[in-house]
Amino acid sequence: MYIANNYVRAKSLEEAWELNQKKNNKIVAGNCWTRLGHGNIGTIISLKDLGLDKIESDKEQIKIGAMVSLREIENNKEILESFGNCVQKAVESIVGVQFRNLATVGGSVWGRFGFSDVLTVFLALGAKVELFKKGIVGIEEFIEMDYDRDVLVSIILPKKGLKASYDSVRLTKTDFPMLNCCVARNGEKMRVVIGAKPTKARFFDCDFNEESDKIVEQFVFGSNLRATEKYRKSVAKVLIERNRRAVM
Amino acid sequence: MVVSFKLNGIKREAIVEADTTLYKLLRELGCYSVKCGCETTNCGLCTVIVNNKSVLSCAVLALDVDGAEIETLEGLESEALEFGLCMADEGSEQCGFCNTGFIVNVVMMMRELDEIDRESVKKYLAGNLCRCTGYQGQLRALEKFIERKRGIKI
Amino acid sequence: MKYVNTSIRKKDAIQLVTGQPVYTEDIAPKNCLVVKLLKSPYANAIIKSIDTSIAEKVPGVVKIVTYKDVSQKRFTLAGQTYPEASPCDRLLLDKHLRYVGDNVAIVAGENEKAVLKALKLIKVEYEVLTPILDPKEAKDNEILIHPEESWFAQCPVGADNKRNLVASGCDEDGDVDRIMSECDVVIERTYKTKAVQQAMMETFRTYTEMDNYGRLKVVSSTQIPFHVRRIVANALGIEKSKVRVVKPRIGGGFGAKQSAISEIYPAIITYLTGRPAMIIFTREESQTISSPRHAMEVTVKIGADKDGRIRVCDMYALSNSGAYGEHGPTTVGLTGHKSMALYSKMEAFRFKYDVVYTNVMSAGAYRGYGATQGIFALESCIDELAEILKIDPIKLRFQNMTREGMLMPAYYGETANACALDRCLEKAKEMSNWDKYYPAKDMGNGKIRAMGAALAMQSSSISNIDIGGMTLKLGDGGFYNMIVGCTDMGTGCDTILAQMVADILDTEIDNISTFGVDTDVSPYDSGSYASSTTYLTGRAAIKCANLMREKIVEVGSGILEKEASECEFDGKFVFESENVENKVSLADIVTKAQSSPVGQLMVTVSEQSTVSPPPFMAGVVEIELDKETGVVEIINFSACVDCGTVINPNLARVQAEGGIVQGIGMALSEDVVYSKEGRDYSNSFMEYKIPSRLDMGEISVEFESSYEPTGPFGAKSIGEIVINTPSPAICNAIYNAVGVRIRELPATPVKIVEGILEKENM
């Protein structure tokens, strides 16, 4: 656990942003990942009082506040109705219920972690990321951005009538994925996202009938403690095909 | 900094530092049932209920629970004891060190899940690790407890 | 019998399930100094200089200890009976650092933040040396892990610090080479197991304080209070009479706490400052500076005839003891003896071994000790042999297994006086879907169901070494104090011993108060390890309770003015056999005794065994393997155990289930991985994956009891054997599913898929 000197509950996004401009300060949301650090934090910035813990849905989109927990998106009826169970499947293996009650959507996306399950499914669903200063950007753009000092406000899932399926392989059922994959179908087109390669998720847009081998070639795989490049490459094809079958 | 909250139904105030975790605070307040097993949010030993949700108290900042209602095993009394006795009847309490966080999460599961079956029970409790029992004895205790409470066999 | 063979609740159950403060940290004084360790960043280094002056100035820092402040006589942290078989190769702090994590300094302070700050401000200059990380390179390497002259070994185990040897030797019986040359089939394979962690939920922890008489009181989560007393005295260079060790409730041990991992650090702080001090190991410390299983490479060579007769076995084990030698010489013995003795019809066996020092974390004791490693190797190899012989692996086992009454040459020449191994295998097979799915069945969805089996054995206490002890005191009104020195670590031994005593004394279980452990109060007991408690302390319990009965009858008959031989005791009254109305109550006996020169009725018994009767077990696993992803699901694990008489079926069952799931973890996901510089990557539950409740399928356990003539009520042990069958059974099932033989644990999806790909390319 890190050492922190101060704690402020921001009264407005503006205040949170101001505080966050200081390099030593840090926005702490669920504290699940941040707590693993051993460094020093000047001021912990809490977004708890900013009402970012809501999921709002209209005809066009679902807007998920940055402080919404993973457990809430797992159980949210609107998300289930609009996208099937792919979001649920993507988060239900993450550690346990107690963890998912803490870990936030904002923290999960902001981290742009290689092992992220959330990023994989949101990339496939064509999510947008609302940042306080920069405004709304596509998640495709967001994952390529450097870590700056903006504030993540919400994630927007456009309702485009996608059919999506998510799958992953894990050493134990609640471990990080050795590889994950989400396929979202839009008519005759599809988007394939592969994460935990072990580097962060990337996507590939193609025809629904594209050959799996060709899709796999679009991704770069590597080795780490959890799995080898060879394994990931082999299983990537399997997960693509399984997901594709699920959205036939 | 001052934080105030309800702990097991009683209003409490405490002076904490910015980085004090809820786990540490609860032990300082005498809730010795709350245990720590891993420091990486993997084990579930430090499970407590905050605003009717089970959370890992080792990852919660004490200042984040300002105004919240917190429940630990100390405050769950009969709700928890009934299941605890089911564990004792199976010998599945074993070393006991993971029991408290586990029992708290079982209580929360009973509050949260309207429909319950073997698979959903296992999934809900997956974040509670145990090294002694191999989980099977805990499952037997759950079978008996759920049958008693809900009249169904899982 | 009223209590033996019944599933009564554990005596501490209510305290545990209601979250009472019963563990070390819960009962520690509030004003304990916080104790933390500065650790070596290098796998092999010498401290050239160490400067603590700035760190000492941090407000709140009370004491910093370095190698300059400690006794220079070497000792071992292994909890073993003196003289320990493990070499004396440790100092409390050493100038020579032998693995990443080895302790450089001890810092104590008023609060955690001050101590953490001070740790960062200690200036150390290291001379970095080349480490040995591969055990195969250790023996006779010119780099010496323990070059120091002060190193010494107390027992003739083949230890030699000038050759990096913790132990070395060979045991054999019969003419191995000749018989091997006569066999129709000879198979030789090498298997590897990892340094898996016990991962008990309560990490290592100890607090120390000076008691009312100025003695050092050590309160610790330990399996070995009496050994800790000696180890702490040795480490501090003080008299054993100055040390008192107390064991409260323990949050799991599994062997980890059979070494004194955490005790010596707060002890020296309290000794030097007079103040209470406490160390709580973080999970990271519990994973990286602890006492995991000895990683081994075991080569098995079996000779058999075409008809399936296994005639000879030749084994070699290379065991990695790491930086220090704790339990190195003793674990390896089990690797050969407690595997090959499963097949006692063999005409000859040989077991050679080297236990080496390397620059990784020191190994220690973990449930199963070395047997787990040996059984993984042998039971995998038996299946490999069965395939060559084209014999069903279960049939092959039935044909060759040890049966009741057989002499077991590989097991120290003991006879299997109680052995239901054949019934265990029959039962486990029957419990499982063996006939439905063996060897494998394609389920048509990319998944394959497959079966695998394995046998196991262990021991019950260390013969001629271990001591089990019990004191019984009769108290006012007729209740008993049962005082033990063995250490209930959640297993329930305090309860099962009380069950035995209650039956012999014809009393209620609640009429027996259990107490353990305080070395000032408890009778000597070598501790709870080596599967000794039920069997050996159980034997002490029987003797002790019978002696208490005699005393009660003696005093009671005196009151009745009769000879003891004319009277009987029914638990409540001593009465005249011929005239049952002439009786005196137990309460009155106590009153009378305690107001007369007779005094308190008290018995203490120490018990040792000349034999170590092995429990036996068969495990059968049904897996579902996803052949495209290599993911293995455990569907069912069916196990049948012969632990002799089952004293408490609930507790025995939970022991078995718990051990099986630890074994499943070892088989499928638990791995200890080092960087090429010797840094342990598996330093948290995030990286070291023990099974969750979603990873174990369903476990079914049954018992086929033999009756051990030397055991209490016919009992043998159960605590350790239960971890031994999953690894070989699961790897055998994986082979049956996809034809990939996993010879190095864990059997990960990566290894399985790469194995499949390799086969396809052949």
Side-chain angles (χ1 to χ4, degrees):
Chain A
M1 179 82 179
Y2 52 83
I3 289 171
N5 299 322
N6 200 9
Y7 173 100
V8 172
R9 281 208 187 178
K11 296 281 178 301
S12 64
L13 279 165
E14 185 65 35
E15 186 194 357
W17 184 87
E18 287 282 345
L19 284 166
N20 201 35
Q21 296 317 296
K22 214 172 155 193
K23 224 181 134 192
N24 201 21
N25 296 350
K26 197 168 176 62
I27 295 173
V28 176
N31 202 30
C32 294
W33 186 255
T34 312
R35 92 170 298 294
L36 301 177
H38 293 290
N40 287 291
I41 294 175
T43 296
I44 292 170
I45 307 159
S46 167
L47 308 181
K48 266 195 168 309
D49 291 346
L50 301 181
L52 301 180
D53 55 351
K54 296 182 186 69
I55 300 174
E56 292 160 335
S57 179
D58 59 26
K59 266 192 209 156
E60 305 291 313
Q61 60 185 41
I62 296 175
K63 188 171 168 182
I64 306 166
M67 293 293 282
V68 169
S69 74
L70 298 187
R71 180 72 176 156
E72 282 166 90
I73 61 168
E74 179 182 352
N75 286 335
N76 185 270
K77 285 204 176 76
E78 293 281 346
I79 295 176
L80 207 61
E81 277 167 20
S82 304
F83 303 102
N85 67 357
C86 62
V87 174
Q88 192 171 54
K89 274 197 78 182
V91 299
E92 70 180 8
S93 297
I94 302 174
V95 188
V97 165
Q98 306 100 304
F99 181 95
R100 301 197 296 279
N101 274 329
L102 289 175
T104 62
V105 170
S108 305
V109 172
W110 180 265
R112 284 158 272 189
F113 305 112
F115 55 73
S116 179
D117 296 294
V118 177
L119 214 55
T120 296
V121 71
F122 282 177
L123 251 177
L125 298 178
K128 295 186 170 67
V129 181
E130 184 191 353
L131 299 164
F132 178 60
K133 285 287 167 182
K134 198 175 164 71
I136 294 172
V137 299
I139 195 165
E140 303 86 348
E141 183 186 342
F142 177 76
I143 59 166
E144 303 302 337
M145 282 163 50
D146 291 332
Y147 293 96
D148 59 15
R149 307 209 67 83
D150 212 335
V151 179
L152 197 157
V153 181
S154 71
I155 303 295
I156 297 158
L157 301 179
K159 293 183 179 171
K160 289 188 291 198
L162 299 174
K163 235 179 135 186
S165 170
Y166 175 93
D167 205 351
S168 67
V169 277
R170 293 162 197 272
L171 185 60
T172 62
K173 289 279 175 22
T174 55
D175 191 14
F176 292 123
M178 295 186 285
L179 194 80
N180 61 34
C181 172
C182 190
V183 167
R185 178 178 187 177
N186 192 354
E188 286 314 301
K189 294 282 179 189
M190 72 170 171
R191 169 172 284 193
V192 176
V193 183
I194 296 179
K197 312 181 269 85
T199 49
K200 73 183 158 203
R202 289 284 192 282
F203 67 95
F204 177 61
D205 293 330
C206 57
D207 286 341
F208 187 68
N209 295 320
E210 183 65 277
E211 274 178 49
S212 296
D213 284 325
K214 284 213 175 121
I215 302 172
V216 172
E217 277 169 27
Q218 305 301 316
F219 295 89
V220 179
F221 299 92
S223 297
N224 68 348
L225 283 181
R226 283 191 165 68
T228 59
E229 181 188 346
K230 194 173 170 186
Y231 176 80
R232 288 192 162 101
K233 219 171 170 172
S234 166
V235 169
K237 186 178 166 186
V238 175
L239 297 189
I240 292 167
E241 286 176 356
R242 286 184 185 178
N243 281 327
R244 181 162 27 196
R245 272 200 297 278
V247 295
M248 281 284 185
Chain B
M1 279 168 269
V2 180
V3 56
S4 58
F5 49 89
K6 251 191 186 172
L7 174 58
N8 295 324
I10 298 165
K11 269 200 126 169
R12 301 294 289 259
E13 250 185 35
I15 294 169
V16 298
E17 293 179 39
D19 52 17
T20 303
T21 60
L22 179 58
Y23 163 75
K24 196 174 165 210
L25 174 63
L26 289 173
R27 284 193 64 95
E28 273 166 17
L29 293 173
C31 296
Y32 290 113
S33 76
V34 189
K35 300 287 191 264
C36 173
C38 76
E39 301 118 21
T40 52
T41 62
N42 289 95
C43 74
L45 265 65
C46 64
T47 302
V48 300
I49 299 173
V50 174
N51 292 336
N52 216 28
K53 289 197 170 86
S54 55
V55 298
L56 302 166
S57 62
C58 81
V60 175
L61 291 169
L63 288 163
D64 271 352
V65 299
D66 197 51
E69 290 202 24
I70 299 166
E71 295 164 273
T72 68
L73 188 62
E74 281 85 354
L76 293 171
E77 292 169 358
S78 62
E79 213 174 345
L81 185 63
E82 193 177 347
F83 176 65
L85 295 179
C86 291
M87 297 246 295
D89 284 337
E90 293 300 327
S92 63
E93 76 283 25
Q94 285 288 295
C95 85
F97 208 70
C98 76
N99 288 183
T100 48
F102 172 63
I103 294 171
V104 168
N105 207 28
V106 168
V107 167
M108 198 53 237
M109 174 182 76
M110 297 302 284
R111 289 186 196 171
E112 190 179 333
L113 298 189
D114 297 329
E115 283 173 37
I116 216 163
D117 59 22
R118 204 172 182 84
E119 207 47 40
S120 62
V121 165
K122 280 186 169 190
K123 274 188 173 174
Y124 196 96
L125 301 169
N128 292 91
L129 297 181
C130 167
R131 194 62 160 169
C132 290
T133 64
Y135 307 108
Q136 196 75 41
Q138 292 183 345
L139 196 57
R140 280 193 294 276
L142 284 161
E143 283 170 2
K144 288 189 183 153
F145 180 64
I146 290 168
E147 181 161 12
R148 200 179 298 164
K149 303 303 277 187
R150 301 269 178 101
I152 51 165
K153 283 193 177 1
I154 60 160
Chain C
M1 290 204 295
K2 284 183 300 186
Y3 291 106
V4 166
N5 203 232
T6 63
S7 292
I8 63 160
R9 275 184 195 167
K10 268 183 351 133
K11 288 183 85 77
D12 54 355
I14 303 302
Q15 298 299 97
L16 299 184
V17 299
T18 56
Q20 301 305 308
V22 295
Y23 303 94
T24 303
E25 187 186 7
D26 303 340
I27 59 172
K30 288 268 186 223
N31 61 341
C32 274
L33 293 174
V34 173
V35 179
K36 287 191 178 291
L37 305 167
L38 180 67
K39 297 171 210 101
S40 171
Y42 303 108
N44 193 6
I46 308 278
I47 299 173
K48 278 167 77 177
S49 70
I50 182 162
D51 179 1
T52 59
S53 56
I54 301 170
E56 275 161 14
K57 292 198 183 93
V58 173
V61 168
V62 172
K63 188 77 196 172
I64 300 180
V65 180
T66 71
Y67 71 89
K68 295 167 191 165
D69 308 314
V70 306
S71 165
Q72 290 303 303
K73 187 160 189 287
R74 290 191 182 264
F75 60 93
T76 175
L77 294 179
Q80 299 179 307
T81 299
Y82 181 84
E84 300 98 329
S86 305
C88 293
D89 53 11
R90 283 208 192 239
L91 298 176
L92 208 156
L93 291 171
D94 204 335
K95 205 177 170 178
H96 188 171
L97 306 165
R98 298 178 176 85
Y99 72 99
V100 176
D102 212 352
N103 299 313
V104 176
I106 309 165
V107 180
E110 306 287 356
N111 61 71
E112 189 176 358
K113 278 189 178 169
V115 173
L116 289 172
K117 194 168 179 191
L119 285 172
K120 288 183 184 158
L121 294 171
I122 297 174
K123 292 215 164 78
V124 191
E125 210 186 327
Y126 299 97
E127 180 191 348
V128 181
L129 307 172
T130 308
I132 304 174
L133 298 171
D134 182 351
K136 283 201 262 195
E137 290 170 8
K139 188 173 160 184
D140 296 324
N141 195 308
E142 59 187 31
I143 299 165
L144 292 181
I145 314 276
H146 284 276
E148 67 276 2
E149 292 303 321
S150 55
W151 179 99
F152 68 105
Q154 304 176 100
C155 299
V157 293
D160 186 349
N161 61 324
K162 298 291 152 69
R163 300 183 64 199
N164 288 328
L165 282 176
V166 176
S168 180
C170 179
D171 289 317
E172 59 189 314
D173 183 66
D175 192 342
V176 170
D177 296 323
R178 179 183 60 79
I179 298 168
M180 198 72 83
S181 70
E182 292 169 6
C183 288
D184 296 337
V185 174
V186 173
I187 176 173
E188 183 175 339
R189 300 283 188 271
T190 298
Y191 305 87
K192 280 188 189 176
T193 60
K194 295 296 183 68
V196 285
Q197 283 284 1
Q198 299 86 351
M200 61 283 159
M201 285 297 137
E202 184 198 35
T203 60
F204 301 95
R205 54 196 59 198
T206 304
Y207 82 81
T208 51
E209 62 182 338
M210 301 309 285
D211 77 2
N212 297 343
Y213 300 93
R215 293 162 75 231
L216 180 65
K217 181 179 165 193
V218 179
V219 179
S220 191
S221 182
T222 180
Q223 296 173 232
I224 44 156
F226 286 93
H227 297 326
V228 165
R229 182 171 69 185
R230 181 184 70 246
I231 292 165
V232 167
N234 284 345
L236 300 185
I238 61 175
E239 293 296 321
K240 294 178 189 77
S241 62
K242 294 284 184 201
V243 183
R244 170 183 169 200
V245 181
V246 174
K247 180 225 70 142
R249 303 322 291 171
I250 310 178
F254 316 117
K257 295 168 183 174
Q258 196 199 336
S259 298
I261 300 297
S262 59
E263 289 83 354
I264 56 179
Y265 307 110
I268 192 167
I269 294 296
T270 295
Y271 180 67
L272 294 176
T273 64
R275 298 189 50 183
M278 174 157 64
I279 193 164
I280 307 277
F281 270 43
T282 61
R283 180 56 61 185
E284 181 174 353
E285 288 171 318
S286 255
Q287 289 287 120
T288 58
I289 58 165
S290 48
S291 58
R293 190 182 292 290
H294 287 75
M296 285 195 202
E297 190 177 295
V298 182
T299 300
V300 185
K301 191 173 173 185
I302 304 176
D305 281 350
K306 275 186 210 147
D307 62 3
R309 191 158 55 102
I310 297 173
R311 298 184 57 195
V312 57
C313 186
D314 190 2
M315 256 172 123
Y316 171 72
L318 175 64
S319 171
N320 186 353
S321 195
Y324 300 95
E326 276 88 23
H327 301 282
T330 37
T331 41
V332 78
L334 281 70
T335 306
H337 297 131
K338 291 172 195 174
S339 56
M340 286 191 277
L342 284 167
Y343 300 101
S344 292
K345 288 178 179 171
M346 277 191 276
E347 294 158 61
F349 81 90
R350 178 160 59 209
F351 177 51
K352 278 180 79 173
Y353 54 91
D354 289 306
V355 185
V356 294
Y357 283 119
T358 59
N359 290 108
V360 298
M361 169 175 34
S362 172
Y366 182 5
R367 192 179 217 169
Y369 225 51
T372 313
Q373 296 93 314
I375 287 172
F376 169 62
L378 184 67
E379 284 296 279
S380 294
C381 200
I382 292 288
D383 258 46
E384 296 207 49
L385 175 69
E387 198 199 6
I388 293 171
L389 294 172
K390 298 190 171 56
I391 297 177
D392 175 293
I394 284 192
K395 269 193 197 142
L396 186 65
R397 287 182 171 87
F398 271 121
Q399 186 180 347
N400 292 283
M401 68 168 56
T402 297
R403 287 166 195 261
E404 193 156 278
M406 263 185 203
L407 184 74
M408 300 177 283
Y411 191 77
Y412 322 107
E414 284 190 23
T415 300
N417 288 323
C419 174
L421 183 57
D422 48 353
R423 281 188 276 143
C424 286
L425 182 57
E426 194 62 62
K427 182 87 179 184
K429 185 183 166 207
E430 189 186 297
M431 288 159 69
S432 74
N433 283 321
W434 185 272
D435 291 330
K436 191 168 168 196
Y437 292 126
Y438 174 81
K441 189 178 174 202
D442 200 319
M443 305 303 278
N445 54 355
K447 295 186 176 171
I448 301 177
R449 285 282 168 109
M451 307 298 298
L455 305 179
M457 64 185 291
Q458 197 78 34
S459 53
S460 305
S461 83
I462 309 172
S463 53
N464 301 311
I465 290 181
D466 282 348
I467 293 286
M470 179 176 284
T471 295
L472 281 172
K473 296 200 289 186
L474 181 57
D476 283 15
F479 81 99
Y480 302 94
N481 286 111
M482 185 189 94
I483 307 167
V484 291
C486 61
T487 44
D488 192 332
M489 55 196 123
T491 49
C493 66
D494 287 354
T495 305
I496 60 160
L497 292 169
Q499 287 178 263
M500 296 183 199
V501 169
D503 279 3
I504 289 183
L505 290 169
D506 284 314
T507 191
E508 303 300 317
I509 195 86
D510 290 340
N511 199 36
I512 296 171
S513 308
T514 50
F515 176 87
V517 179
D518 180 336
T519 54
D520 274 13
V521 180
S522 302
Y524 177 79
D525 192 296
S526 34
S528 287
Y529 58 86
S531 291
S532 63
T533 304
T534 301
Y535 176 73
L536 194 60
T537 309
R539 278 173 50 158
I542 306 271
K543 260 195 191 169
C544 198
N546 277 320
L547 285 171
M548 177 57 84
R549 269 195 89 94
E550 281 177 28
K551 283 207 172 202
I552 291 167
V553 173
E554 191 184 306
V555 177
S557 59
I559 295 169
L560 300 175
E561 296 178 337
K562 291 284 165 191
E563 292 299 314
S565 59
E566 297 171 287
C567 295
E568 288 172 51
F569 175 51
D570 66 1
K572 290 197 169 68
F573 294 92
V574 169
F575 56 90
E576 193 185 337
S577 305
E578 301 295 314
N579 175 15
V580 294
E581 288 311 307
N582 185 22
K583 63 182 183 180
V584 56
S585 74
L586 187 59
D588 288 344
I589 290 172
V590 185
T591 306
K592 183 82 181 175
Q594 290 187 175
S595 57
S596 77
V598 173
Q600 178 167 37
L601 299 196
M602 179 156 96
V603 183
T604 295
V605 163
S606 274
E607 180 72 358
Q608 196 179 52
S609 178
T610 54
V611 291
S612 176
F616 295 93
M617 176 171 176
V620 175
V621 71
E622 176 184 340
I623 62 165
E624 188 168 276
L625 197 157
D626 183 330
K627 62 183 172 186
E628 290 181 320
T629 65
V631 172
V632 173
E633 295 251 9
I634 305 290
I635 303 297
N636 259 302
F637 200 100
S638 309
C640 186
V641 189
D642 164 23
C643 58
T645 301
V646 182
I647 305 295
N648 184 317
N650 265 356
L651 298 179
R653 173 165 282 111
V654 175
Q655 279 296 303
E657 291 162 348
I660 287 165
V661 173
Q662 287 184 2
I664 289 172
M666 177 182 175
L668 293 178
S669 62
E670 295 179 32
D671 203 354
V672 174
V673 185
Y674 286 97
S675 74
K676 60 183 194 304
E677 294 82 27
R679 197 168 67 80
D680 185 351
Y681 285 132
S682 317
N683 59 0
S684 68
F685 281 169
M686 197 174 278
E687 297 304 324
Y688 184 83
K689 300 316 289 186
I690 65 172
S692 76
R693 72 189 69 235
L694 297 173
D695 299 299
M696 33 73 74
E698 299 278 338
I699 313 288
S700 326
V701 174
E702 296 286 348
F703 298 96
E704 278 292 338
S705 294
S706 60
Y707 188 91
E708 169 51 42
T710 66
F713 295 95
K716 301 187 284 188
S717 80
I718 188 159
E720 292 189 90
I721 184 174
V722 289
I723 200 172
N724 293 337
T725 58
S727 301
I730 290 169
C731 289
N732 289 341
I734 290 169
Y735 182 82
N736 290 337
V738 288
V740 173
R741 176 54 65 178
I742 303 291
R743 297 198 186 89
E744 178 172 348
L745 296 178
T748 60
V750 172
K751 288 179 192 164
I752 293 166
V753 165
E754 292 189 354
I756 294 171
L757 291 175
E758 208 171 294
K759 259 185 32 157
E760 282 171 358
N761 291 336
M762 276 200 321

